[in-house]
Amino acid sequence: MAKHRWNVGCLAELYPEGKVGETDVCVMGLNQNKGQKILLRIRTDDLKGFRKMLSIRKVLFHELAHNVHSEHDEQFFQLMRQIERECNDLDWTRSQ
């Protein structure tokens, strides 16, 4: 995030409403005010467990791309893929 000079004021859980793939109101994430607050849906629909980490990470990359692009256009998806590559390239075993 430092590379892009982004700041996320609050990263929080989005309470699951609706069912994934079945309900219109079902969203996996939400970016409010270009990163002022990012909400991620981390629990399963039945509230008995958590979604897979890879799924949560992909939603986070999507929401971070909304810090720059509001619309889901080609520039948005290019940035989202760039964020994913950058995060995958990080060595999480070493501190900086």
Side-chain angles (χ1 to χ4, degrees):
M1 288 196 352
K3 174 183 176 180
H4 298 279
R5 296 189 174 168
W6 292 336
N7 201 2
V8 174
C10 177
L11 181 62
E13 180 177 3
L14 178 63
Y15 186 81
E17 291 185 34
K19 294 193 180 213
V20 175
E22 294 179 21
T23 311
D24 291 339
V25 298
C26 173
V27 295
M28 297 301 293
L30 182 65
N31 183 326
Q32 297 176 341
N33 298 321
K34 298 207 177 264
Q36 183 179 11
K37 186 175 192 178
I38 292 180
L39 300 162
L40 301 175
R41 187 171 175 169
I42 62 173
R43 295 181 196 268
T44 55
D45 292 342
D46 61 8
L47 299 175
K48 293 182 180 179
F50 294 95
R51 298 187 182 284
K52 293 182 179 178
M53 180 59 79
L54 181 60
S55 172
I56 295 168
R57 283 174 46 116
K58 286 186 178 283
V59 174
L60 178 58
F61 303 150
H62 178 104
E63 297 308 329
L64 286 171
H66 279 303
N67 282 359
V68 177
H69 302 289
S70 298
E71 300 299 321
H72 292 117
D73 58 14
E74 185 57 33
Q75 290 177 315
F76 171 87
F77 288 107
Q78 285 176 357
L79 179 57
M80 186 179 74
R81 288 188 296 269
Q82 177 186 344
I83 294 166
E84 184 171 5
R85 281 192 306 274
E86 290 171 0
C87 287
N88 289 338
D89 289 344
L90 289 174
D91 182 357
W92 297 94
T93 62
R94 297 181 331 164
S95 66
Q96 294 186 13

